[in-house]
Amino acid sequence: MDDAHAPGIPLNRGALADQDFLSATGIAKLVVVDSTGSTNADLLRSVAVEPKSWPDLSVLTAEYQTAARGRLDRRWEAPPLSSVSVSIVLRPVNAEGRPLPAQCYSWLSLLAALALRETLLETAGIPAELKWPNDVLVRGRKIAGILAQLGPMVEGSAPPVILGTGLNVSLSSAELPVPTATSVALEQPVTVDRTLLLKSYLSHFAVLYRSFCNADGDPAAGMAGGPSLHKRVEAVLVTLGKQVKAQLPGDHEIIGHATRLDDYGSLLVVDGAAHEHVVTAGDVVHLRPWTPPGQAPRQGTESGYA
């Protein structure tokens, strides 16, 4: 693809409003807006003010976000019509309507990353991997980030989760936020049609989400006719098997070998003294590859941890 940013094509609102698509995915409501500060912030406000208007699997997507935020309030911005910016209201309950235990909520962003990886592979025709805790990479470069935020508890009901996803689609190299990022357009894709990508993502997400809910949020249960969520995520997680430095609040850090995920989706890191540390997504500030002093880092390693 040309390195200059091509004029964006608006989302096909008719295709997104198609009843067959909405019924097949179980999406209760899908709203498209031209511009907003942040789809996550909008939904956090909306579920507090009008909770009944935003049931489970309600979707808000924007052509342009002016004040999008990532983890730890990091700013994220892209030109209009260049990205998929979408947030989903989740009110996870099992098949009997019982709310899922809150400790399984930490898996929802990993589930979304897995769904987006499937979309990139099947719809865009490009390979993708996951970087713990919430990034999707293509050839070691960040193409998408995911942010889950807990909504307010209203009238004693379980608090909803607002799950936001930002996917770089048609950004040129010059428009990328950091040199270690990429976009769909820069990876020789089959398509850069944002409507197709969004529909595919929502479809993949809905299948995995419903299966996860029906399994009571158990990450070890088989889902959607295949392996468990835990196994699926670990199989495509580039973080595992690497020496990493986890930077924590208060200038604390853990250096060691990233070995596996625990039952709550936290990363387990074994340090040089063979102590196993639990690193949670909510606590980690940065996770970087780490090379012992005196050793040369492997080429391309740093870009995998943008």
Side-chain angles (χ1 to χ4, degrees):
M1 285 271 179
D2 192 294
D3 201 44
H5 175 67
I9 298 173
L11 291 167
N12 184 333
R13 302 191 185 202
L16 292 171
D18 178 69
Q19 282 303 313
D20 290 340
F21 164 66
L22 297 177
S23 297
T25 54
I27 291 173
K29 177 178 185 175
L30 197 156
V31 177
V32 183
V33 296
D34 291 331
S35 177
T36 188
S38 160
T39 54
N40 259 37
D42 288 353
L43 285 183
L44 284 168
R45 283 191 298 268
S46 296
V47 296
V49 177
E50 303 175 286
K52 290 183 170 58
S53 298
W54 296 92
D56 186 43
L57 284 178
S58 294
V59 177
L60 175 64
T61 185
E63 299 281 25
Y64 177 45
Q65 288 193 119
T66 60
R69 299 282 173 176
R71 287 183 62 249
L72 307 177
D73 215 31
R74 294 169 184 146
R75 188 172 172 89
W76 181 85
E77 189 172 355
L81 309 179
S82 69
S83 305
V84 168
S85 303
V86 60
S87 295
I88 311 172
V89 177
L90 303 178
R91 302 180 184 275
V93 297
N94 67 9
E96 287 76 46
R98 190 169 59 250
L100 298 194
Q103 61 262 31
C104 76
Y105 282 13
S106 55
W107 282 97
L108 292 171
S109 57
L110 290 167
L111 188 151
L114 198 63
L116 189 57
R117 175 187 177 271
E118 293 177 0
T119 287
L120 291 170
L121 190 61
E122 295 180 15
T123 305
I126 55 179
E129 298 171 306
L130 310 189
K131 177 208 161 186
W132 189 89
N134 68 329
D135 291 344
V136 181
L137 310 180
V138 172
R139 301 181 179 97
R141 296 179 179 275
K142 180 175 175 177
I143 198 167
I146 292 162
L147 177 66
Q149 295 177 279
L150 202 60
M153 185 181 294
V154 177
E155 297 173 0
S157 62
V161 175
I162 309 301
L163 188 69
T165 299
L167 170 66
N168 299 332
V169 179
S170 61
L171 283 79
S172 69
S173 295
E175 291 169 326
L176 294 172
V178 291
T180 50
T182 189
S183 70
V184 175
L186 294 172
E187 299 294 337
Q188 294 78 51
V190 173
T191 182
V192 290
D193 186 321
R194 292 185 306 126
T195 304
L196 286 180
L197 294 169
L198 176 56
K199 289 182 69 174
S200 176
Y201 168 60
L202 292 173
S203 297
H204 282 299
F205 178 83
V207 169
L208 293 173
Y209 174 66
R210 188 57 55 214
S211 185
F212 184 61
C213 288
N214 288 343
D216 285 314
D218 180 2
M223 62 188 307
S228 68
L229 178 61
H230 195 289
K231 287 182 178 177
R232 292 182 194 214
V233 170
E234 282 197 338
V236 295
L237 201 61
V238 297
T239 314
L240 298 185
K242 303 280 178 62
Q243 289 289 117
V244 299
K245 178 191 287 187
Q247 183 184 338
L248 305 174
D251 290 329
H252 297 297
E253 62 182 33
I254 297 168
I255 295 174
H257 190 72
T259 58
R260 61 189 177 93
L261 299 182
D262 70 8
D263 292 344
Y264 307 104
S266 300
L267 184 68
L268 299 182
V269 178
V270 178
D271 66 19
H275 294 138
E276 188 174 68
H277 301 264
V278 178
V279 182
T280 66
D283 285 341
V284 70
V285 177
H286 287 294
L287 188 78
R288 306 285 191 199
W290 183 79
T291 304
Q295 289 186 19
R298 287 178 299 177
Q299 188 174 7
T301 302
E302 184 68 29
S303 66
Y305 292 80

Short mmCIF file of all heavy atoms in Angstrom, two decimals, residues 213-265:
data_model
loop_
_atom_site.label_atom_id
_atom_site.label_comp_id
_atom_site.label_asym_id
_atom_site.label_seq_id
_atom_site.Cartn_x
_atom_site.Cartn_y
_atom_site.Cartn_z
N CYS A 213 -19.53 -17.16 28.42
CA CYS A 213 -20.62 -16.95 29.38
C CYS A 213 -21.32 -18.26 29.72
O CYS A 213 -21.63 -18.54 30.89
CB CYS A 213 -21.64 -15.94 28.83
SG CYS A 213 -21.06 -14.24 28.78
N ASN A 214 -21.58 -19.07 28.70
CA ASN A 214 -22.26 -20.35 28.93
C ASN A 214 -21.42 -21.30 29.77
O ASN A 214 -21.94 -22.23 30.39
CB ASN A 214 -22.63 -21.00 27.60
CG ASN A 214 -23.77 -20.28 26.90
OD1 ASN A 214 -24.50 -19.50 27.53
ND2 ASN A 214 -23.93 -20.52 25.62
N ALA A 215 -20.10 -21.08 29.80
CA ALA A 215 -19.20 -21.89 30.62
C ALA A 215 -18.98 -21.24 31.99
O ALA A 215 -18.03 -21.59 32.70
CB ALA A 215 -17.86 -22.08 29.91
N ASP A 216 -19.88 -20.31 32.38
CA ASP A 216 -19.77 -19.61 33.67
C ASP A 216 -18.48 -18.84 33.82
O ASP A 216 -17.97 -18.65 34.93
CB ASP A 216 -19.92 -20.59 34.84
CG ASP A 216 -21.36 -21.04 35.05
OD1 ASP A 216 -22.24 -20.17 35.04
OD2 ASP A 216 -21.58 -22.25 35.21
N GLY A 217 -17.90 -18.41 32.69
CA GLY A 217 -16.67 -17.63 32.76
C GLY A 217 -15.46 -18.45 33.15
O GLY A 217 -14.46 -17.89 33.60
N ASP A 218 -15.53 -19.77 32.94
CA ASP A 218 -14.41 -20.65 33.27
C ASP A 218 -13.41 -20.66 32.11
O ASP A 218 -13.72 -21.20 31.05
CB ASP A 218 -14.91 -22.06 33.54
CG ASP A 218 -13.79 -23.03 33.91
OD1 ASP A 218 -12.63 -22.59 33.99
OD2 ASP A 218 -14.10 -24.21 34.13
N PRO A 219 -12.21 -20.08 32.26
CA PRO A 219 -11.26 -20.02 31.15
C PRO A 219 -10.69 -21.38 30.77
O PRO A 219 -10.09 -21.53 29.71
CB PRO A 219 -10.17 -19.09 31.67
CG PRO A 219 -10.21 -19.24 33.15
CD PRO A 219 -11.65 -19.46 33.49
N ALA A 220 -10.89 -22.37 31.65
CA ALA A 220 -10.35 -23.71 31.37
C ALA A 220 -11.35 -24.60 30.64
O ALA A 220 -11.02 -25.72 30.24
CB ALA A 220 -9.92 -24.39 32.67
N ALA A 221 -12.58 -24.12 30.46
CA ALA A 221 -13.61 -24.92 29.78
C ALA A 221 -13.46 -24.83 28.27
O ALA A 221 -13.13 -23.77 27.73
CB ALA A 221 -15.00 -24.42 30.20
N GLY A 222 -13.70 -25.93 27.59
CA GLY A 222 -13.70 -25.91 26.13
C GLY A 222 -14.78 -24.95 25.64
O GLY A 222 -15.83 -24.81 26.26
N MET A 223 -14.51 -24.26 24.53
CA MET A 223 -15.47 -23.25 24.07
C MET A 223 -15.57 -23.23 22.55
O MET A 223 -14.59 -23.51 21.84
CB MET A 223 -15.09 -21.87 24.59
CG MET A 223 -13.75 -21.36 24.11
SD MET A 223 -13.25 -19.82 24.91
CE MET A 223 -14.66 -18.76 24.63
N ALA A 224 -16.76 -22.92 22.07
CA ALA A 224 -17.01 -22.76 20.63
C ALA A 224 -16.45 -23.93 19.83
O ALA A 224 -15.84 -23.76 18.78
CB ALA A 224 -16.44 -21.43 20.13
N GLY A 225 -16.67 -25.12 20.36
CA GLY A 225 -16.27 -26.31 19.62
C GLY A 225 -14.78 -26.56 19.56
O GLY A 225 -14.30 -27.23 18.65
N GLY A 226 -14.02 -26.03 20.53
CA GLY A 226 -12.58 -26.21 20.48
C GLY A 226 -11.94 -26.04 21.84
O GLY A 226 -12.59 -26.19 22.87
N PRO A 227 -10.64 -25.70 21.86
CA PRO A 227 -9.90 -25.57 23.12
C PRO A 227 -10.46 -24.45 24.00
O PRO A 227 -11.23 -23.60 23.57
CB PRO A 227 -8.47 -25.24 22.67
CG PRO A 227 -8.39 -25.67 21.24
CD PRO A 227 -9.77 -25.50 20.69
N SER A 228 -10.02 -24.46 25.25
CA SER A 228 -10.45 -23.45 26.22
C SER A 228 -9.88 -22.08 25.85
O SER A 228 -8.92 -21.97 25.09
CB SER A 228 -9.97 -23.83 27.62
OG SER A 228 -8.55 -23.75 27.69
N LEU A 229 -10.48 -21.05 26.43
CA LEU A 229 -9.98 -19.69 26.23
C LEU A 229 -8.54 -19.59 26.72
O LEU A 229 -7.69 -18.97 26.06
CB LEU A 229 -10.88 -18.69 26.98
CG LEU A 229 -10.45 -17.23 26.91
CD1 LEU A 229 -10.44 -16.72 25.48
CD2 LEU A 229 -11.38 -16.36 27.78
N HIS A 230 -8.25 -20.20 27.87
CA HIS A 230 -6.90 -20.17 28.43
C HIS A 230 -5.89 -20.73 27.43
O HIS A 230 -4.86 -20.10 27.16
CB HIS A 230 -6.89 -20.99 29.73
CG HIS A 230 -5.70 -20.76 30.60
ND1 HIS A 230 -4.44 -21.20 30.26
CD2 HIS A 230 -5.58 -20.16 31.81
CE1 HIS A 230 -3.59 -20.87 31.21
NE2 HIS A 230 -4.26 -20.23 32.16
N LYS A 231 -6.19 -21.88 26.86
CA LYS A 231 -5.27 -22.52 25.91
C LYS A 231 -5.15 -21.71 24.62
O LYS A 231 -4.07 -21.58 24.04
CB LYS A 231 -5.72 -23.94 25.60
CG LYS A 231 -5.48 -24.91 26.74
CD LYS A 231 -5.90 -26.33 26.37
CE LYS A 231 -5.59 -27.29 27.51
NZ LYS A 231 -6.05 -28.68 27.19
N ARG A 232 -6.26 -21.18 24.14
CA ARG A 232 -6.23 -20.39 22.90
C ARG A 232 -5.38 -19.14 23.05
O ARG A 232 -4.61 -18.78 22.15
CB ARG A 232 -7.66 -19.99 22.49
CG ARG A 232 -8.53 -21.15 22.05
CD ARG A 232 -9.89 -20.66 21.62
NE ARG A 232 -10.84 -21.76 21.51
CZ ARG A 232 -11.82 -21.82 20.63
NH1 ARG A 232 -11.97 -20.84 19.76
NH2 ARG A 232 -12.64 -22.84 20.60
N VAL A 233 -5.52 -18.47 24.17
CA VAL A 233 -4.75 -17.24 24.39
C VAL A 233 -3.27 -17.58 24.54
O VAL A 233 -2.41 -16.95 23.90
CB VAL A 233 -5.27 -16.49 25.62
CG1 VAL A 233 -4.32 -15.35 26.00
CG2 VAL A 233 -6.67 -15.92 25.34
N GLU A 234 -2.94 -18.56 25.37
CA GLU A 234 -1.53 -18.90 25.58
C GLU A 234 -0.84 -19.32 24.28
O GLU A 234 0.34 -19.06 24.08
CB GLU A 234 -1.40 -20.01 26.62
CG GLU A 234 -1.56 -19.53 28.05
CD GLU A 234 -1.04 -20.52 29.08
OE1 GLU A 234 -0.94 -21.73 28.75
OE2 GLU A 234 -0.73 -20.08 30.19
N ALA A 235 -1.60 -19.96 23.38
CA ALA A 235 -1.01 -20.46 22.13
C ALA A 235 -0.56 -19.34 21.20
O ALA A 235 0.31 -19.56 20.34
CB ALA A 235 -2.02 -21.35 21.40
N VAL A 236 -1.12 -18.14 21.34
CA VAL A 236 -0.78 -17.04 20.43
C VAL A 236 -0.20 -15.84 21.18
O VAL A 236 -0.13 -14.74 20.64
CB VAL A 236 -2.02 -16.61 19.60
CG1 VAL A 236 -2.45 -17.73 18.68
CG2 VAL A 236 -3.18 -16.18 20.50
N LEU A 237 0.26 -16.06 22.40
CA LEU A 237 0.78 -14.99 23.24
C LEU A 237 2.30 -14.93 23.10
O LEU A 237 3.01 -15.80 23.57
CB LEU A 237 0.38 -15.25 24.69
CG LEU A 237 0.36 -14.08 25.66
CD1 LEU A 237 -0.62 -13.00 25.22
CD2 LEU A 237 -0.02 -14.57 27.06
N VAL A 238 2.80 -13.88 22.43
CA VAL A 238 4.25 -13.78 22.20
C VAL A 238 5.01 -13.49 23.48
O VAL A 238 6.23 -13.68 23.54
CB VAL A 238 4.57 -12.68 21.16
CG1 VAL A 238 3.97 -13.02 19.82
CG2 VAL A 238 4.09 -11.31 21.62
N THR A 239 4.33 -13.05 24.53
CA THR A 239 4.98 -12.72 25.79
C THR A 239 5.58 -13.95 26.47
O THR A 239 6.63 -13.85 27.13
CB THR A 239 3.96 -12.06 26.73
OG1 THR A 239 3.22 -11.07 26.01
CG2 THR A 239 4.63 -11.42 27.92
N LEU A 240 4.93 -15.08 26.33
CA LEU A 240 5.36 -16.28 27.06
C LEU A 240 6.68 -16.82 26.52
O LEU A 240 6.95 -16.75 25.33
CB LEU A 240 4.28 -17.36 26.99
CG LEU A 240 2.93 -16.99 27.61
CD1 LEU A 240 2.00 -18.19 27.57
CD2 LEU A 240 3.10 -16.50 29.05
N GLY A 241 7.49 -17.33 27.44
CA GLY A 241 8.78 -17.89 27.06
C GLY A 241 9.87 -16.85 26.92
O GLY A 241 11.00 -17.17 26.53
N LYS A 242 9.57 -15.59 27.23
CA LYS A 242 10.53 -14.50 27.06
C LYS A 242 11.03 -14.00 28.42
O LYS A 242 10.34 -14.10 29.43
CB LYS A 242 9.88 -13.33 26.32
CG LYS A 242 9.28 -13.66 24.96
CD LYS A 242 10.34 -13.72 23.89
CE LYS A 242 9.74 -14.11 22.55
NZ LYS A 242 8.75 -13.16 22.05
N GLN A 243 12.24 -13.45 28.41
CA GLN A 243 12.72 -12.70 29.56
C GLN A 243 12.10 -11.31 29.50
O GLN A 243 12.18 -10.63 28.47
CB GLN A 243 14.25 -12.58 29.53
CG GLN A 243 14.98 -13.88 29.82
CD GLN A 243 14.87 -14.29 31.27
OE1 GLN A 243 14.30 -15.33 31.60
NE2 GLN A 243 15.41 -13.47 32.16
N VAL A 244 11.45 -10.88 30.57
CA VAL A 244 10.74 -9.60 30.56
C VAL A 244 11.08 -8.79 31.81
O VAL A 244 11.53 -9.32 32.82
CB VAL A 244 9.21 -9.82 30.49
CG1 VAL A 244 8.81 -10.55 29.22
CG2 VAL A 244 8.70 -10.57 31.73
N LYS A 245 10.84 -7.49 31.68
CA LYS A 245 10.88 -6.59 32.82
C LYS A 245 9.48 -6.00 32.98
O LYS A 245 8.97 -5.33 32.07
CB LYS A 245 11.89 -5.46 32.62
CG LYS A 245 11.91 -4.46 33.78
CD LYS A 245 12.70 -3.21 33.45
CE LYS A 245 14.19 -3.50 33.45
NZ LYS A 245 14.98 -2.23 33.29
N ALA A 246 8.85 -6.27 34.11
CA ALA A 246 7.53 -5.72 34.40
C ALA A 246 7.70 -4.51 35.32
O ALA A 246 8.19 -4.65 36.44
CB ALA A 246 6.65 -6.77 35.07
N GLN A 247 7.34 -3.35 34.80
CA GLN A 247 7.42 -2.12 35.61
C GLN A 247 6.09 -1.93 36.31
O GLN A 247 5.03 -1.90 35.68
CB GLN A 247 7.73 -0.92 34.73
CG GLN A 247 7.90 0.38 35.50
CD GLN A 247 8.12 1.57 34.57
OE1 GLN A 247 8.55 1.40 33.44
NE2 GLN A 247 7.82 2.75 35.07
N LEU A 248 6.13 -1.78 37.63
CA LEU A 248 4.94 -1.67 38.45
C LEU A 248 4.87 -0.28 39.08
O LEU A 248 5.85 0.47 39.06
CB LEU A 248 4.95 -2.75 39.54
CG LEU A 248 5.09 -4.19 39.03
CD1 LEU A 248 5.24 -5.15 40.19
CD2 LEU A 248 3.91 -4.57 38.15
N PRO A 249 3.71 0.11 39.64
CA PRO A 249 3.61 1.42 40.28
C PRO A 249 4.65 1.59 41.38
O PRO A 249 5.06 0.63 42.03
CB PRO A 249 2.19 1.40 40.85
CG PRO A 249 1.44 0.45 39.98
CD PRO A 249 2.43 -0.62 39.62
N GLY A 250 5.07 2.84 41.59
CA GLY A 250 6.03 3.13 42.63
C GLY A 250 7.45 2.74 42.28
O GLY A 250 8.27 2.48 43.17
N ASP A 251 7.75 2.68 41.00
CA ASP A 251 9.09 2.34 40.51
C ASP A 251 9.55 0.93 40.90
O ASP A 251 10.74 0.64 40.93
CB ASP A 251 10.14 3.35 41.01
CG ASP A 251 9.96 4.71 40.34
OD1 ASP A 251 9.50 4.72 39.18
OD2 ASP A 251 10.26 5.73 40.98
N HIS A 252 8.59 0.06 41.20
CA HIS A 252 8.94 -1.34 41.44
C HIS A 252 9.06 -2.06 40.09
O HIS A 252 8.37 -1.71 39.12
CB HIS A 252 7.86 -2.02 42.29
CG HIS A 252 7.72 -1.44 43.66
ND1 HIS A 252 8.71 -1.47 44.60
CD2 HIS A 252 6.67 -0.79 44.24
CE1 HIS A 252 8.31 -0.87 45.70
NE2 HIS A 252 7.07 -0.44 45.51
N GLU A 253 9.91 -3.06 40.04
CA GLU A 253 10.02 -3.84 38.82
C GLU A 253 10.33 -5.29 39.13
O GLU A 253 10.91 -5.62 40.18
CB GLU A 253 11.08 -3.25 37.89
CG GLU A 253 12.49 -3.24 38.44
CD GLU A 253 13.49 -2.60 37.48
OE1 GLU A 253 13.10 -1.67 36.75
OE2 GLU A 253 14.65 -3.03 37.47
N ILE A 254 9.90 -6.15 38.23
CA ILE A 254 10.17 -7.58 38.32
C ILE A 254 10.84 -7.99 37.02
O ILE A 254 10.33 -7.70 35.93
CB ILE A 254 8.86 -8.39 38.51
CG1 ILE A 254 8.18 -8.00 39.82
CG2 ILE A 254 9.14 -9.89 38.47
CD1 ILE A 254 6.76 -8.53 39.93
N ILE A 255 11.98 -8.65 37.13
CA ILE A 255 12.68 -9.16 35.96
C ILE A 255 12.70 -10.68 36.05
O ILE A 255 13.04 -11.25 37.08
CB ILE A 255 14.12 -8.62 35.88
CG1 ILE A 255 14.10 -7.10 35.68
CG2 ILE A 255 14.91 -9.29 34.77
CD1 ILE A 255 15.46 -6.45 35.74
N GLY A 256 12.30 -11.33 34.98
CA GLY A 256 12.30 -12.78 35.00
C GLY A 256 11.73 -13.37 33.73
O GLY A 256 11.57 -12.70 32.72
N HIS A 257 11.40 -14.64 33.82
CA HIS A 257 10.94 -15.42 32.68
C HIS A 257 9.41 -15.49 32.72
O HIS A 257 8.83 -15.94 33.71
CB HIS A 257 11.54 -16.83 32.78
CG HIS A 257 11.35 -17.67 31.57
ND1 HIS A 257 12.04 -17.46 30.39
CD2 HIS A 257 10.56 -18.74 31.34
CE1 HIS A 257 11.68 -18.36 29.50
NE2 HIS A 257 10.77 -19.15 30.06
N ALA A 258 8.75 -15.01 31.68
CA ALA A 258 7.28 -15.08 31.60
C ALA A 258 6.89 -16.51 31.23
O ALA A 258 7.19 -16.98 30.13
CB ALA A 258 6.76 -14.10 30.56
N THR A 259 6.24 -17.21 32.16
CA THR A 259 6.03 -18.64 31.97
C THR A 259 4.63 -19.02 31.51
O THR A 259 4.46 -19.87 30.63
CB THR A 259 6.33 -19.41 33.26
OG1 THR A 259 5.50 -18.89 34.31
CG2 THR A 259 7.80 -19.25 33.64
N ARG A 260 3.60 -18.39 32.10
CA ARG A 260 2.23 -18.81 31.78
C ARG A 260 1.24 -17.79 32.32
O ARG A 260 1.64 -16.83 33.00
CB ARG A 260 1.93 -20.19 32.39
CG ARG A 260 2.03 -20.23 33.92
CD ARG A 260 1.94 -21.64 34.48
NE ARG A 260 2.10 -21.64 35.94
CZ ARG A 260 1.10 -21.59 36.81
NH1 ARG A 260 -0.17 -21.53 36.38
NH2 ARG A 260 1.32 -21.60 38.12
N LEU A 261 -0.04 -18.01 32.04
CA LEU A 261 -1.11 -17.23 32.63
C LEU A 261 -1.77 -18.05 33.72
O LEU A 261 -1.91 -19.27 33.59
CB LEU A 261 -2.16 -16.85 31.58
CG LEU A 261 -1.71 -16.01 30.39
CD1 LEU A 261 -2.91 -15.71 29.49
CD2 LEU A 261 -1.06 -14.72 30.84
N ASP A 262 -2.19 -17.39 34.79
CA ASP A 262 -2.92 -18.12 35.82
C ASP A 262 -4.41 -18.15 35.49
O ASP A 262 -4.83 -17.73 34.40
CB ASP A 262 -2.64 -17.55 37.21
CG ASP A 262 -3.25 -16.17 37.44
OD1 ASP A 262 -4.04 -15.69 36.60
OD2 ASP A 262 -2.93 -15.56 38.49
N ASP A 263 -5.22 -18.64 36.41
CA ASP A 263 -6.65 -18.80 36.15
C ASP A 263 -7.38 -17.48 35.98
O ASP A 263 -8.53 -17.45 35.52
CB ASP A 263 -7.30 -19.59 37.30
CG ASP A 263 -6.84 -21.03 37.35
OD1 ASP A 263 -6.28 -21.51 36.35
OD2 ASP A 263 -7.04 -21.67 38.40
N TYR A 264 -6.74 -16.38 36.36
CA TYR A 264 -7.38 -15.06 36.27
C TYR A 264 -6.81 -14.22 35.14
O TYR A 264 -7.10 -13.02 35.05
CB TYR A 264 -7.24 -14.33 37.61
CG TYR A 264 -7.74 -15.16 38.77
CD1 TYR A 264 -6.85 -15.77 39.64
CD2 TYR A 264 -9.11 -15.36 38.97
CE1 TYR A 264 -7.30 -16.57 40.69
CE2 TYR A 264 -9.57 -16.13 40.01
CZ TYR A 264 -8.67 -16.74 40.87
OH TYR A 264 -9.14 -17.54 41.90
N GLY A 265 -5.99 -14.83 34.29
CA GLY A 265 -5.41 -14.10 33.16
C GLY A 265 -4.21 -13.26 33.53
O GLY A 265 -3.72 -12.48 32.71
#
